[in-house]
Amino acid sequence: MSVAAPLTLYNSLSRSLERFEPIYPANVRVYSCGPTVYNYAHIGNLRAYVFTDTLSRVLTWKAKENGWGPLTHVINITDVGHLTSDADAGDDKMEAAARASAKSIWDIAAHYTAAFKQNLKDLNIREPSRWSVATDHIQEMIAFGEKIAAKHCYQLDSGLYFDVSTVPDYGRLAGAQDDVREGRIDAVEGKRHPQDFAIWRASAPGENRQMEWDSPWGRGAPGWHLECSVMSEKYLGSPFDIHTGGIDHREIHHPNEIAQNQAFCDCSDTGARWWMHNNFLVERAGKMSKSSGDFRTLQRLIDAGVHPLAYRLMCLSAHYRSELEFSEESLAAALTRLKRLAITVSQLRDRPPAPSAGSALAYRERLDEAVSDDLNTPKALPVLDELLADKRIAPTDRLAALADFDAVLGLGLADLKREDLRVRPKNATLDEADIAARLAERREARAAKDFALSDAIRDELAAQGVEVMDGDPLGWDWRSTLA
Ligand code: AMP
Ligand code: ZN
């Protein structure tokens, strides 16, 4: 098998495609900014992890051929420090959530962390090699602050601030365009430059925080950006290969991480060599935002009867650097596409053995070319369709090649059964067994030419959100119309 196409990835630092070569081929190292666990992830957040999973799968799949060792992938869990504005303004998201629900902040973090991990599982996103939790690294964060304080920071009543004029080229990553600089508000009195940011935020007198620690700069909590510099350095060293996040991080969070990294190494190294950013999932109504309260979670899609892998497929149908607009229609189209794939694969599995008049190799190579071109999954998907439909290739050989597509795209088609795809909506009143029983009665009625009874059963099922589908080309005998 040849998966030797050179891997090119878009580096936000240079705003260009660059050939990827790991710094230490024996161990490829990636850090991804993780979720802030004050609420459920919305499906936009999850797009960021479908992207990192694709990256990690491609790096793993191409490793052997390129002589790379195993991938170390770290994702952090932000359970402290992230304010309602990325630029040091507003309330701590975790503290605010705990106050609103009268729960302990630790319970909140545990609950939403578990929900997030379940989302990843549902989307067939592989676990990283390490989860690193911000509050497990407070002492390291303080030590990091102590190392950079004298040369790069200044103290105000509200905490310790990083002076961005002390590092070369601050904000190079953000670039000239500032259209997404949402929330860059200079809300802290006494900052030398609007872009200066908190390394440590001292608790205000009388402020009642559930999470606070002693530090040389007073009792308080770390600034949000600090954790990622500290944990990436601790687990991946510096420099390491790739740092990922959503496109919003290109403007504030990642430039601030870079500034901290440069201060820490006392050099111009940016920490990661590649900075990669996924574009946003948007809705026609505008940006998807967790703080707006009513937002789309993956569980909400599942409760509405949509298999979560349909959402994964929807993400893969767009390039990660393109904005993707969410709509019910496009999700439904992705579900139909997934059903077709699952049916095609199950039919291949049932075929009798046959000799091959062709080779699947060319398909593997086209898969490789597509994903090696900056993870171009929309280009890879039609190759999969063509492979499965290529009658010259024996079914067993097509299925063997499918394993490569599954390894890279993570759709799990080899194991996906068509029954799995029929998720019952949460508000369903009939379960699958009830439906099967009613359909059996209807078949008997039809065999006995009792069309009145057959129609009555069909109408009764329809009233309960089950549409009977006689002669459906995909071979489904019913579908949900609920939710
Ligand atoms: P948060 O939990 O807010 O820290 O965000 C987790 C990840 O989701 C970050 O990498 C964000 O950049 C990313 N993100 C936030 N909103 C969206 C969106 N609408 N589409 C894609 N990624 C997003
Ligand atoms: Zn981060």
Side-chain angles (χ1 to χ4, degrees):
M1 180 182 77
S2 176
V3 290
L7 176 61
T8 50
L9 298 173
Y10 186 84
N11 190 347
S12 297
L13 262 184
S14 63
R15 295 287 198 276
S16 65
L17 291 166
E18 292 177 22
R19 172 144 188 196
F20 177 75
E21 294 286 357
I23 299 169
Y24 301 106
N27 177 213
V28 182
R29 291 163 299 158
V30 177
Y31 183 94
S32 300
C33 284
T36 309
V37 286
Y38 71 105
N39 205 333
Y40 295 109
H42 58 57
I43 54 173
N45 298 129
L46 296 174
R47 185 182 185 201
Y49 304 100
V50 171
F51 154 61
T52 60
D53 190 46
T54 307
L55 174 66
S56 115
R57 284 171 179 274
V58 168
L59 290 169
T60 306
W61 186 62
K62 289 179 71 67
K64 198 164 166 219
E65 194 91 5
N66 284 284
W68 304 334
L71 171 73
T72 304
H73 184 197
V74 176
I75 303 183
N76 69 297
I77 298 285
T78 297
D79 57 352
V80 67
H82 196 170
L83 303 192
T84 43
S85 152
D86 282 0
D88 279 339
D91 211 352
D92 185 310
K93 293 185 181 192
M94 296 296 301
E95 296 278 347
R99 269 199 309 277
S101 64
K103 283 200 184 115
S104 120
I105 212 163
W106 304 100
D107 289 346
I108 300 242
H111 175 78
Y112 292 118
T113 301
F116 176 71
K117 289 183 178 174
Q118 183 60 44
N119 288 162
L120 299 198
K121 212 166 154 205
D122 288 338
L123 288 169
N124 213 12
I125 292 174
R126 301 181 314 171
E127 294 255 339
S129 13
R130 177 187 290 278
W131 291 105
S132 66
V133 179
T135 51
D136 290 342
H137 298 80
I138 300 293
Q139 292 318 314
E140 285 103 321
M141 289 194 237
I142 292 173
F144 190 108
E146 284 180 309
K147 182 166 171 197
I148 65 172
K151 216 169 148 187
H152 300 277
C153 304
Y154 56 94
Q155 208 169 342
L156 300 174
D157 286 347
S158 53
L160 184 72
Y161 287 84
F162 191 98
D163 180 335
V164 297
S165 69
T166 63
V167 287
D169 244 2
Y170 173 79
R172 179 179 145 215
L173 178 66
Q177 42 75 291
D178 55 3
D179 48 337
V180 229
R181 278 191 197 195
E182 161 258 335
R184 198 183 262 293
I185 318 157
D186 184 17
V188 178
E189 206 159 312
K191 280 209 296 195
R192 292 180 189 162
H193 315 96
Q195 295 92 336
D196 290 353
F197 56 91
I199 291 290
W200 189 265
R201 289 180 28 263
S203 305
E207 184 182 346
N208 191 13
R209 288 183 60 94
Q210 288 190 33
M211 278 184 174
E212 52 179 9
W213 296 265
D214 288 323
S215 86
W217 317 288
R219 207 166 160 71
W224 170 46
H225 315 293
L226 188 56
E227 64 179 84
C228 290
S229 284
V230 169
M231 297 190 289
S232 62
E233 204 277 332
K234 175 168 180 183
Y235 296 116
L236 302 176
S238 181
F240 64 95
D241 295 304
I242 304 174
H243 194 312
T244 77
I247 190 86
D248 51 332
H249 289 350
R250 199 178 65 180
E251 312 306 319
I252 299 175
H253 182 48
H254 289 168
N256 291 355
E257 274 189 53
I258 289 175
Q260 292 169 156
N261 297 345
Q262 291 174 328
F264 190 76
C265 71
D266 204 13
C267 67
S268 58
D269 261 6
T270 52
R273 203 158 273 181
W274 267 265
W275 292 79
M276 293 180 69
H277 298 99
N278 64 278
N279 211 323
F280 267 16
L281 179 78
V282 294
E283 289 196 82
R284 221 159 294 159
K287 193 183 150 201
M288 213 167 269
S289 153
K290 271 200 260 190
S291 34
S292 69
D294 180 39
F295 55 83
R296 284 182 206 278
T297 59
L298 188 66
Q299 193 56 49
R300 217 172 108 185
L301 303 189
I302 298 170
D303 289 347
V306 177
H307 194 279
L309 287 176
Y311 178 63
R312 181 177 182 113
L313 180 57
M314 184 180 158
C315 291
L316 297 176
S317 313
H319 191 264
Y320 76 90
R321 283 196 288 121
S322 309
E323 212 170 66
L324 173 60
E325 185 175 304
F326 179 83
S327 68
E328 303 278 353
E329 297 76 41
S330 47
L331 184 65
L335 182 58
T336 301
R337 190 174 186 183
L338 187 63
K339 283 179 181 172
R340 277 187 204 283
L341 284 166
I343 288 166
T344 309
V345 171
S346 79
Q347 285 168 346
L348 279 181
R349 245 188 255 115
D350 296 342
R351 290 270 172 81
S356 245
S359 151
L361 192 63
Y363 292 102
R364 288 187 172 121
E365 284 174 357
R366 284 170 62 199
L367 167 67
D368 182 35
E369 275 164 30
V371 295
S372 301
D373 174 13
D374 196 26
L375 316 179
N376 198 332
T377 52
K379 207 160 111 190
L381 286 168
V383 181
L384 172 59
D385 293 329
E386 279 184 53
L387 162 75
L388 295 176
D390 191 337
K391 297 200 170 54
R392 292 169 308 169
I393 304 170
T396 43
D397 292 348
R398 279 183 262 172
L399 290 171
L402 172 68
D404 286 283
F405 285 82
D406 271 348
V408 174
L409 302 174
L411 289 168
L413 290 168
D415 309 309
L416 199 62
K417 291 194 275 312
R418 37 182 291 188
E419 308 86 83
D420 301 338
L421 288 172
R422 194 154 52 193
V423 176
R424 285 298 282 150
K426 202 179 175 190
N427 57 354
T429 46
L430 294 176
D431 65 20
E432 304 246 347
D434 296 332
I435 297 168
R438 296 302 280 151
L439 288 178
E441 284 170 37
R442 182 166 175 269
R443 272 193 299 275
E444 271 174 36
R446 280 159 70 100
K449 301 214 172 342
D450 184 349
F451 296 112
L453 178 58
S454 150
D455 288 353
I457 294 174
R458 186 194 60 208
D459 295 345
E460 180 215 316
L461 285 169
Q464 298 188 71
V466 175
E467 181 187 325
V468 178
M469 301 202 294
D470 295 321
D472 174 56
L474 294 182
W476 296 82
D477 42 10
W478 61 273
R479 74 180 182 103
S480 276
T481 55
L482 282 173

